[in-house]
Amino acid sequence: MMYTIKGEKHLSNDSDIRIPTALQSVVAGVMGLNDFHPRPLHMKPQVASWNAGKQRFVATTAKSSKPNTLLSANDKKLAQTPQSPDSPDAVNFTNGARGLVPGDLSTMYDVDKIRKNGLTGKGVTIAVVDSYDMVPGDWTNFVQNFHLDSYGGTFAQINPAPPSGTNNCLDPDALAGLSQASGYDDGETLLDAEYSTAMAPGANIQVAICSSYDADSNLTTTNFFGGVFIAASNLINGTARPDIISASYGFGEGATDAASKQAIDAMWAQADAEGISVFVSTGDSGSNPDFNGSVIYGNSYDGTSAVDANSFATSPHVTAVGGTDTADVLDGTTSKYFKTAKDLTLGSALSYVPEIPWNQSCGNEVAATSEGYNSNTKFCKQLFKFDTEGLYATSEAGSGGPSSVDRKPAWQSLVYNAAKDQSRDLPDVSLFAGSYGGYTYVVTCTSAYPCTPDFSGLTALSGGTSLASPMFAGLQALVDQKLVNSGQPLQQGNAAPTLYALAATEYGSPTGSTPGTLATCNADNGATGTADCVFHNVTRGSITTNCYEQTAGETSLTNNCFFLADIKNYVVDGFFPVGEVQMGLTSTVTSPTGLTAKNEAYTARPGWSFASGLGSVDAGNLTKAWLAYAKKANK
């Protein structure tokens, strides 16, 4: 039956499914009962031109915010910082954006120092699995403009076939009659390829592409994750296996059929057993990964809850990567961490920059404090007094949450403040993904907007946890090279158990006294305080984001949403009119009567958290600590 959900038509069964009783014991689930598909976990790309006077990228599509003549002087600033209603990814601090380049990120995460000592990922193969092609010349343009072409890294775009049987990996460009020189790019794919290289410029990058459809528009697999699942499965079952896999697609467990989830978990378990390290993005919409670029709404893909976890990432055999934001803009400390004049291709970051969870909504407590409010609820209420159509509402944020399918592995219980549940919890670690107000992105090189040394042309900017996962895959390549150089095995399997073991030495265990390094390694200490730490412990902010529920014409509710304001004329994504809604913030409580740090979904805190996992890492300290741990374990 056809249903209309958020302005889109979707096919799904209209009653409970039935199978013969005799088959009950051998059927895990039924695939393909609807046509929802996983989403690439990156932000909508922004196009900008470089303004030398402002030392910023100016968004070419940006329009002025809605009139704010009714606001006080303080509230005018508030109205300028969220996303523009006319251009959701427009930046409104200066009508421009800061575009981070590989040099910025390598400085922030201490990659540049170990790169000088020869750690570039040489000899390590990273596969990024995707379902659409990119133009190979984009990668070449990227490494040339950012001075990464001298490290010997390679690029290949492949369609990995299964080891036997009918080829199920079809090239989407070939099906569409396009050549690789056609100029058609997929923003997700090029982001994966370029920023795994940004961290490991000496690694061999494989872009593994399999289409989700054949020439007749039939599904090439009944697995919910389509071509991404085919690409990963064929690589894992092949003879020339990669050392590392990064996957940046996601959807909630509540929307993923049981058979697909079972197959995904089995695939990742096989990868781990073969020594492949797998990194998966957690999602881009806070406590429910289904809503990338939109607002969490209970009457949608997975029932009524505003809380879910990415089914592609909850396997205990992968490392789940969430998203952070640099705190300098909201803290007013940019001059401490960035040079005033930007060295365009090598970057302007001076050191590690304190981080907070990536959260573009009014649920961001650090933003609320910056705007003069003592709570995010007051911040949101004030915003919606003037935003009568909910145009500033968003759930754009790094995702985290407990699995409702997979049990907690023993290693996830070893660290201070590990969640006291029985679930596999996300994320494990986090890296930069985006910023409040859309102020900071990363620069990507595309066929439509190629990079130039002086950024004289239009430039593409992007972000999301689709950025964080391939970056961590690149960091793992540096670890792997360090191990091989010291006589240790190359293929390490799942990185998460080792990461938690290392974190336990800095943050402490769930019981007993905490070491002094728990405070020392706080991300807020910046470069000087965390210089000897493996992890940057993100302890401020949250991934609590907007959620809503219609108040007329709807039969289902949005659980786990604390309602704050009535919006009379809500318009989804700026174009689909909904009508009257209750707008609020996500909570861990099914029917919250208030919102605090204890029941937000979710708050950062010392040790591990659903907001940012163990935090981000210092690559130099990580490689040294991992080698010491491996030598001790292999004695």
Side-chain angles (χ1 to χ4, degrees):
M1 183 173 178
M2 296 300 298
Y3 295 90
T4 300
I5 299 177
K6 293 184 65 182
E8 300 176 350
K9 290 189 178 297
H10 289 282
L11 178 68
S12 179
N13 54 303
D14 64 350
S15 62
D16 292 341
I17 59 174
R18 297 182 180 184
I19 61 171
T21 302
L23 298 178
Q24 182 176 357
S25 62
V26 295
V27 175
V30 179
M31 297 181 178
L33 292 178
N34 60 58
D35 63 349
F36 292 119
H37 298 291
R39 297 186 175 189
L41 300 175
H42 69 279
M43 294 187 286
K44 180 181 178 182
Q46 178 76 18
V47 179
S49 58
W50 176 252
N51 185 308
K54 292 182 177 180
Q55 289 289 299
R56 291 287 183 268
F57 288 97
V58 177
T60 62
T61 56
K63 300 178 182 179
S64 61
S65 299
K66 60 195 297 185
N68 55 20
T69 54
L70 298 177
L71 306 187
S72 66
N74 184 58
D75 292 331
K76 283 182 181 179
K77 183 181 179 184
L78 177 151
Q80 291 170 351
T81 52
Q83 298 171 318
S84 161
D86 297 313
S87 179
D89 284 324
V91 178
N92 299 299
F93 287 98
T94 60
N95 195 31
R98 178 170 64 191
L100 300 180
V101 297
D104 291 312
L105 295 161
S106 63
T107 296
M108 286 169 53
Y109 295 123
D110 202 24
V111 173
D112 49 358
K113 292 180 183 178
I114 60 175
R115 186 176 294 168
K116 293 175 183 177
N117 296 325
L119 285 186
T120 64
K122 182 179 180 180
V124 181
T125 297
I126 302 172
V128 295
V129 292
D130 289 283
S131 55
Y132 297 100
D133 289 301
M134 64 175 282
V135 175
D138 295 339
W139 184 86
T140 303
N141 179 229
F142 183 82
V143 298
Q144 288 176 346
N145 272 280
F146 296 118
H147 308 294
L148 302 173
D149 51 339
S150 63
Y151 294 103
T154 64
F155 174 91
Q157 188 161 244
I158 63 173
N159 305 117
S164 62
T166 303
N167 185 13
N168 61 352
C169 183
L170 307 179
D171 182 356
D173 271 11
L175 292 174
L178 301 173
S179 68
Q180 288 193 340
S182 64
Y184 176 77
D185 262 331
D186 181 70
E188 171 61 53
T189 306
L190 64 86
L191 183 65
D192 291 345
E194 291 177 359
Y195 276 87
S196 53
T197 295
M199 296 292 97
N204 304 312
I205 306 300
Q206 287 185 343
V207 174
I209 306 289
C210 295
S211 174
S212 298
Y213 300 93
D214 64 18
D216 297 318
S217 298
N218 298 312
L219 290 171
T220 49
T221 175
T222 53
N223 191 281
F224 182 83
F225 278 80
V228 178
F229 173 81
I230 295 174
S233 181
N234 288 359
L235 286 171
I236 293 164
N237 285 288
T239 54
R241 302 183 184 100
D243 306 302
I244 301 166
I245 290 175
S246 176
S248 297
Y249 285 73
F251 224 75
E253 290 180 335
T256 305
D257 60 275
S260 289
K261 175 58 174 167
Q262 188 176 67
I264 291 164
D265 283 0
M267 176 181 70
W268 292 144
Q270 181 183 345
D272 188 9
E274 291 172 355
I276 301 172
S277 302
V278 179
F279 298 87
V280 183
S281 304
T282 57
D284 289 5
S285 50
S287 60
N288 190 322
D290 293 354
F291 296 86
N292 187 7
S294 187
V295 180
I296 292 172
Y297 169 36
N299 187 22
S300 188
Y301 315 112
D302 60 349
T304 63
S305 178
V307 174
D308 202 353
N310 181 7
S311 60
F312 218 45
T314 48
S315 163
H317 295 282
V318 309
T319 302
V321 188
T324 64
D325 179 7
T326 56
D328 63 294
V329 174
L330 294 173
D331 288 348
T333 57
T334 299
S335 61
K336 181 178 180 179
Y337 296 105
F338 288 89
K339 291 182 288 187
T340 302
K342 190 176 184 67
D343 181 338
L344 292 180
T345 55
L346 297 178
S348 59
L350 296 169
S351 67
Y352 171 68
V353 184
E355 293 167 282
I356 57 176
W358 170 42
N359 185 347
Q360 295 189 198
S361 80
C362 59
N364 186 329
E365 290 89 348
V366 182
T369 299
S370 176
E371 301 297 343
Y373 296 88
N374 61 14
S375 72
N376 54 3
T377 55
K378 290 182 179 179
F379 184 41
C380 288
K381 285 180 178 179
Q382 186 71 1
L383 174 64
F384 290 121
K385 280 184 180 180
F386 303 100
D387 183 16
T388 57
E389 294 181 344
L391 296 172
Y392 293 112
T394 180
S395 293
E396 202 81 352
S399 291
S403 172
S404 59
V405 178
D406 292 307
R407 291 183 62 84
K408 184 188 295 293
W411 43 262
Q412 197 169 33
S413 300
L414 299 177
V415 69
Y416 179 73
N417 253 339
K420 295 178 174 62
D421 59 18
Q422 299 301 312
S423 301
R424 166 70 169 115
D425 297 317
L426 306 185
D428 295 311
V429 287
S430 296
L431 291 176
F432 176 78
S435 69
Y436 177 77
Y439 187 84
T440 306
Y441 295 81
V442 296
V443 173
T444 58
C445 302
T446 75
S447 61
Y449 305 105
C451 295
T452 59
D454 58 356
F455 291 106
S456 56
L458 294 177
T459 302
L461 307 175
S462 190
T465 55
S466 281
L467 165 67
S469 179
M471 282 205 300
F472 216 105
L475 296 181
Q476 184 65 39
L478 306 180
V479 170
D480 288 357
Q481 184 190 357
K482 176 80 169 181
L483 294 172
V484 170
N485 290 349
S486 302
Q488 299 294 318
L490 168 61
Q491 293 186 315
Q492 292 292 299
N494 187 15
T498 300
L499 292 170
Y500 278 85
L502 297 178
T505 66
E506 288 190 349
Y507 299 165
S509 65
T511 59
S513 60
T514 57
T517 45
L518 176 66
T520 300
C521 296
N522 191 315
D524 290 341
N525 293 332
T528 54
T530 61
D532 297 324
C533 299
V534 172
F535 296 91
H536 309 119
N537 193 192
V538 179
T539 61
R540 280 190 297 156
S542 75
I543 57 170
T544 305
T545 64
N546 293 127
C547 49
Y548 77 93
E549 172 182 293
Q550 280 189 254
T551 55
E554 289 291 332
T555 58
S556 66
L557 305 174
T558 301
N559 292 333
N560 302 90
C561 188
F562 176 58
F563 300 111
L564 294 164
D566 290 322
I567 305 295
K568 300 297 183 183
N569 300 296
Y570 181 52
V571 180
V572 175
D573 299 338
F575 67 89
F576 182 64
V578 172
E580 185 175 347
V581 304
Q582 294 184 92
M583 188 68 68
L585 292 170
T586 55
S587 170
T588 58
V589 178
T590 302
S591 301
T593 57
L595 198 71
T596 67
K598 292 183 177 181
N599 71 348
E600 289 182 332
Y602 294 92
T603 303
R605 58 185 185 175
W608 182 91
S609 75
F610 285 110
S612 57
L614 300 171
S616 68
V617 296
D618 178 295
N621 295 334
L622 175 63
T623 55
K624 289 187 293 185
W626 194 301
L627 176 60
Y629 180 83
K631 285 182 175 180
K632 184 177 180 180
N634 293 330
K635 278 186 178 181

